Amino acid sequence: MARRKDPVSEMRRGVLELALLLHLDTGAACGADVMSDLDRNTDGRLQVSEGALYPALHRMEKKGLLSHEWIRDVQGRKPRKYYSLTDEGRTRLAELLAAWHDLRGAVDALEGGRGDA
Amino acid sequence: MHEAGLEPWLAGLRKGLSGVSGKRRESVVAEIAGDLELRMRSSGVDADSFVAGLEDPRALGRALRAVHGLSWWRYVIAYLLALPLGLLSVPLDSVLQWWPSTLMLALLLALTLRSGARGGRIHGLLVGLTGALPRIIVLLLITGLLGELDQGYGIAEVPGGTIAFVVLTSLMIPLFGFFATGRLRQ
């Protein structure tokens, strides 16, 4: 029997790539920074677990959307992996943002129509 | 060495990543361990409480293996290719001098090394064995067959050097596959 997926989780997963691209467009960040920043900047509305974050980051890197650099930000501590957007990532971000605005416009129009009816 | 409290969780992550090449696996573990250490320090809680709030490390490892490991059909293709390459890499100098067995052996070796590097030690070992065992079996069959024919007609026999070469390379190929993990860049 096919497992039924929670539609809200599916939507969140779909938005994750866009959220990561948007966040990394502001500058390079490691996974820990991405998790805390997404949580803080969205007032806790987009909390990402490590189980969602790392596979997404690695998949995006494999697709060429992200590149990485190991940076030791504190002397004596281990270097951390900082991700940044590639040119391909920026192009993908523009595509996803356009699609997002279209979808949001469509949903807003439907919601508005429902209110008018 | 990472934060001691995180080690059991990281061991679970490594288990979930089994099948991913050693170098890649350790890179993933180092990345996540570094991030967890940072998060743990900023959270101010002790290691046990912090780890208790984390997800199942094996599930995370498996999710990452789906990104970095080989897809199932790539595993199958490696075995399907190793078997005929192993058979075709048996030197047939006594029967077919033109047969490019060395080329087949080189291809089998390349496939085994690649499988080990991409799919992990066990996959490299098994692909090597899939190619190596049929070589020995075919060699034994040819040796026996030619021995039988030789008794009656005295036409040919497999030289001792060829037997030694096949046995030695057949033993080495799975070992190369086992130790190839992390040696080749992905």
Side-chain angles (χ1 to χ4, degrees), chain B residues 15-38:
Chain B
K15 280 187 182 161
L17 284 164
S18 63
V20 175
S21 73
K23 193 176 174 183
R24 176 59 59 93
R25 185 172 57 237
E26 288 314 309
S27 164
V28 170
V29 171
E31 174 193 0
I32 295 175
D35 283 353
L36 291 181
E37 282 171 17
L38 177 73

Side-chain angles (χ1 to χ4, degrees), chain A residues 40-117:
Chain A
R40 191 175 54 245
N41 296 340
T42 64
D43 297 323
R45 282 176 292 189
L46 194 61
Q47 289 182 335
V48 185
S49 65
E50 52 270 5
L53 176 70
Y54 291 104
L57 285 172
H58 287 222
R59 203 172 295 117
M60 287 163 71
E61 188 180 20
K62 213 169 181 183
K63 282 195 236 169
L65 305 178
L66 306 179
S67 60
H68 79 261
E69 195 178 353
W70 289 90
I71 297 174
R72 190 188 303 274
D73 41 18
V74 178
Q75 202 58 37
R77 287 194 184 146
K78 288 191 171 59
R80 289 213 310 278
K81 191 174 178 181
Y82 277 76
Y83 291 94
S84 51
L85 239 58
T86 60
D87 289 341
E88 212 172 320
R90 282 186 195 90
T91 308
R92 176 79 175 149
L93 172 60
E95 288 168 1
L96 284 179
L97 267 181
W100 171 257
H101 289 308
D102 275 354
L103 279 171
R104 198 175 63 180
V107 172
D108 285 350
L110 285 171
E111 200 182 14
R114 192 183 60 168
D116 294 341

